[in-house]
């Protein structure tokens, strides 16, 4: 039977939805995972539990066993870090259709990416701190505020903003303790509106590009509180963005596959925050499908399968996806208001992430967003108003610690 192999997944979001879509496309879904909690996914035909998913020989041996018993492996895919380029490498070893392997690997390391694109005007000022470097000679200290990143972080877990020399030193030490053998990336902090760009490239041609504005919460970390689709941009800014993207894709040699970029508009000039070698997580597929009618995940899977994707828009709506966080720590007793939120005209989707008994806390990463509401309308302002009103219906009841 024709089968798709997935390396890793989360319980929610793009990576989980991809399993369902692959099943709907008629493929047997085979999931390699290191999580016991993934054993009962209804979307999955076969789960292979492995302690270390990056043990390439072990994974390849298991895939060869699958082939011997009649499974026709059509693609090997991952939608989560750090397995995206790894899955592409497995596809290459299996002789399957391969997306742009080296560029995917390049995107997975923020330092390598910055060094590759350092000569482009979209690259902000940055510094690299090596493990052996003394903190007494930091050249970047006169450029505060600054952003400090671990080169392989994701979901804003290890991205810190600092405003004073003392906090800079503390942040560097914190990340050094966590990544003792890794260099760190320090960047200038850019003031401006932030945008997310979803991209699909096939045979060096930009087949799909959608832009949305992000509402970002700055609390020492960077948490996206809402997505507004489509971004409202002047025509010249949109054309300039396309030009920059074409240049970036050419510089890194990305000719087949999908990725997403985060950009900032700083005094009417585009600056690159980062590139990730996969579609965005969370509810990104629902946002794009509600706005355009395009199931982006399905078409990305078609790219991995070597098929021709279809990007014809069948609708044109404004979408506001709003995430909910909390401002105290405690054990979740119950959540109320989901049904009432769904009753608001224009609300298409309400998701509550935690279950009773879970420990909730203030947001320190994207994973600390505990609910999401997607609303649509014929205008951007109305979509946002609907989402905000519906969000007020959701109540978290906590037992404080």
């Amino acid at each position: 039977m024709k089968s798709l192999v997935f390396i890793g997944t989360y319980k929610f979001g793009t990576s989980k939805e991809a399993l369902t879509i692959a099943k709907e496309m008629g493929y047997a879904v085979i999931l390699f995972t290191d999580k016991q909690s993934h054993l009962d996914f209804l979307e999955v035909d076969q789960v292979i539990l492995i302690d270390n998913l990056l043990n390439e020989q072990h994974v390849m041996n298991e895939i060869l066993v699958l082939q011997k018993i009649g499974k026709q492996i059509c693609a090997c895919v991952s939608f989560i870090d750090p397995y995206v380029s790894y899955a592409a490498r497995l596809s290459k070893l299996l002789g399957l259709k391969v997306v742009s392997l080296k560029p995917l690997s390049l995107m997975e390391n923020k330092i390598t990416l910055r060094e590759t694109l350092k000569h482009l005007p979209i690259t902000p000022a940055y510094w690299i701190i090596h493990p052996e470097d003394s903190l007494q000679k930091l050249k970047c200290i006169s450029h505060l505020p600054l952003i400090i990143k671990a080169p392989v972080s994701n979901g804003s877990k290890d991205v810190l903003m600092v405003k004073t020399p003392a906090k800079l030193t503390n942040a560097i030490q914190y990340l050094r303790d966590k990544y003792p053998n890794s260099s760190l990336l320090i960047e200038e902090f850019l003031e401006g509106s932030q945008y997310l760009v979803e991209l699909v490239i096939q045979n060096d041609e930009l087949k799909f590009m959608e832009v949305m504005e992000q509402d970002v919460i700055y609390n020492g970390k960077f948490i996206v509180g809402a997505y507004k689709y489509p971004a409202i941009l002047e025509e010249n800014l949109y054309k300039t963005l396309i030009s920059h993207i074409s240049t970036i894709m050419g510089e890194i040699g990305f000719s087949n596959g999908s990725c997403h970029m985060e950009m900032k508009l700083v005094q009417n000039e585009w600056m690159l925050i980062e590139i990730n070698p996969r579609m965005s997580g969370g509810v990104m597929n629902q946002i794009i499908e509600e706005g355009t009618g395009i199931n982006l995940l399905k078409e990305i899977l078609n790219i991995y399968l070597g098929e021709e994707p279809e990007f014809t828009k069948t609708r044109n709506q404004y979408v506001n996806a709003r995430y909910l966080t909390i401002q105290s720590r405690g054990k979740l007793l119950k959540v109320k208001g989901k049904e009432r939120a769904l009753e608001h005209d224009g609300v298409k989707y309400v998701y509550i992430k935690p279950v009773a008994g879970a420990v909730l806390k203030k947001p320190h990463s994207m994973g600390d967003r505990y609910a999401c509401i997607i609303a649509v309308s014929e205008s951007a302002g109305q979509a946002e108003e609907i989402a905000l009103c519906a969000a007020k219906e959701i109540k978290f009841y906590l037992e404080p610690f």
Side-chain angles (χ1 to χ4, degrees):
M1 184 177 183
K2 291 186 176 182
S3 305
L4 286 183
V5 167
F6 289 86
I7 308 296
T9 186
Y10 294 125
K11 284 189 171 183
F12 166 73
T14 298
S15 61
K16 176 72 172 349
E17 191 177 353
L19 305 177
T20 302
I21 291 170
K23 186 75 172 175
E24 292 171 351
M25 292 170 69
Y27 291 88
V29 176
I30 300 169
L31 174 64
F32 283 75
T33 181
D34 55 0
K35 303 287 192 302
Q36 288 278 350
S37 59
H38 296 164
L39 294 176
D40 58 352
F41 283 172
L42 297 178
E43 307 89 341
V44 178
D45 295 281
Q46 185 172 351
V47 178
I48 298 175
L49 190 63
I50 293 181
D51 289 338
N52 179 11
L53 289 176
L54 292 173
N55 185 331
E56 186 175 297
Q57 189 59 57
H58 190 173
V59 172
M60 280 298 298
N61 288 341
E62 292 287 350
I63 292 176
L64 293 175
V65 169
L66 292 170
Q67 290 178 322
K68 286 179 180 179
I69 62 174
K71 303 287 188 184
Q72 182 185 347
I73 308 301
C74 299
C76 188
V77 185
S78 184
F79 287 93
I80 65 173
D81 304 317
Y83 306 121
V84 181
S85 67
Y86 174 66
R89 188 165 69 250
L90 292 173
S91 289
K92 184 175 182 179
L93 291 172
L94 292 165
L96 304 173
K97 176 70 178 180
V98 180
V99 293
S100 299
L101 175 55
K102 288 184 179 179
L104 290 175
S105 180
L106 178 68
M107 294 177 202
E108 288 175 337
N109 187 297
K110 294 177 173 59
I111 290 177
T112 307
L113 182 68
R114 281 288 186 231
E115 290 286 87
T116 303
L117 302 176
K118 63 184 178 183
H119 60 288
L120 297 181
I122 48 86
T123 299
Y126 70 93
W127 301 262
I128 300 170
I129 305 298
H130 302 288
E132 67 276 8
D133 289 346
S134 169
L135 299 187
Q136 310 304 317
K137 299 180 181 180
L138 292 176
K139 296 180 180 179
C140 59
I141 200 164
S142 61
H143 295 265
L144 289 163
L146 294 164
I147 308 301
I148 307 174
K149 302 176 179 180
V152 294
S153 65
N154 63 84
S156 78
K157 293 184 185 71
D158 297 309
V159 179
L160 310 173
M161 180 171 67
V162 296
K163 296 181 178 180
T164 67
K167 289 188 176 181
L168 173 62
T169 301
N170 291 340
I172 293 173
Q173 194 57 58
Y174 167 77
L175 290 177
R176 277 185 168 177
D177 290 343
K178 196 169 182 180
Y179 303 96
N181 301 314
S182 175
S183 298
L184 302 175
L185 179 64
I186 300 180
E187 301 173 344
E188 64 173 326
F189 175 70
L190 301 170
E191 290 279 4
S193 300
Q194 187 160 308
Y195 298 84
L196 183 139
V197 187
E198 287 287 348
L199 301 170
V200 176
I201 310 288
Q202 187 182 40
N203 299 326
D204 291 308
E205 182 181 349
L206 182 60
K207 288 292 187 75
F208 177 91
M209 174 179 144
E210 293 295 334
V211 187
M212 60 201 73
E213 188 173 358
Q214 298 174 313
D215 281 348
V216 181
I217 302 166
Y218 299 107
N219 62 349
K221 298 288 187 74
F222 297 85
I223 312 298
V224 178
Y227 296 92
K228 302 173 183 178
Y229 173 85
I232 300 173
L233 295 171
E234 295 177 3
E235 184 177 357
N236 66 309
L237 289 175
Y238 187 79
K239 288 181 177 179
T240 304
L241 179 59
I242 292 177
S243 176
H244 283 311
I245 287 171
S246 297
T247 300
I248 292 167
M249 294 296 100
E251 290 286 337
I252 65 177
F254 194 54
S255 58
N256 282 288
S258 72
C259 66
H260 73 271
M261 298 182 182
E262 290 184 353
M263 307 285 292
K264 270 195 175 179
L265 193 55
V266 182
Q267 296 179 350
N268 267 4
E269 297 291 337
W270 291 108
M271 302 296 288
L272 176 66
I273 303 302
E274 63 183 42
I275 310 177
N276 290 287
R278 53 175 171 77
M279 183 179 174
S280 304
V283 296
M284 189 53 58
N285 202 51
Q286 290 100 316
I287 293 172
I288 291 172
E289 190 163 17
E290 290 293 344
T292 67
I294 296 169
N295 187 323
L296 182 56
L297 264 177
K298 179 181 178 181
E299 304 312 328
I300 290 172
L301 289 176
N302 278 326
I303 292 283
Y304 275 90
L305 290 162
E307 303 292 339
E308 189 68 27
E310 175 57 58
F311 292 119
T312 302
K313 292 186 179 182
T314 58
R315 63 173 72 116
N316 187 18
Q317 296 186 112
Y318 288 92
V319 183
N320 190 280
R322 189 151 300 271
Y323 283 92
L324 278 66
T325 60
I326 64 169
Q327 297 304 312
S328 60
R329 180 179 173 86
K331 182 188 292 186
L332 181 63
L333 300 175
K334 60 184 176 181
V335 183
K336 286 189 173 183
K338 179 177 180 178
E339 292 75 17
R340 292 179 64 177
L342 283 166
E343 290 173 357
H344 287 249
D345 288 340
V347 172
K348 297 294 184 179
Y349 176 85
V350 177
Y351 175 76
I352 309 295
K353 180 180 176 182
V355 297
V359 175
L360 310 189
K361 61 183 186 297
K362 293 181 180 181
H364 288 89
S365 75
M366 299 290 202
D368 298 327
R369 301 178 299 182
Y370 295 125
C372 182
I373 293 169
I374 295 179
V376 303
S377 184
E378 298 304 312
S379 74
Q382 190 172 24
E384 181 172 7
E385 184 179 351
I386 293 168
L388 286 168
C389 290
K392 293 177 182 178
E393 305 285 4
I394 307 296
K395 306 294 183 186
F396 291 91
Y397 293 86
L398 302 179
E399 179 183 335
F401 279 176

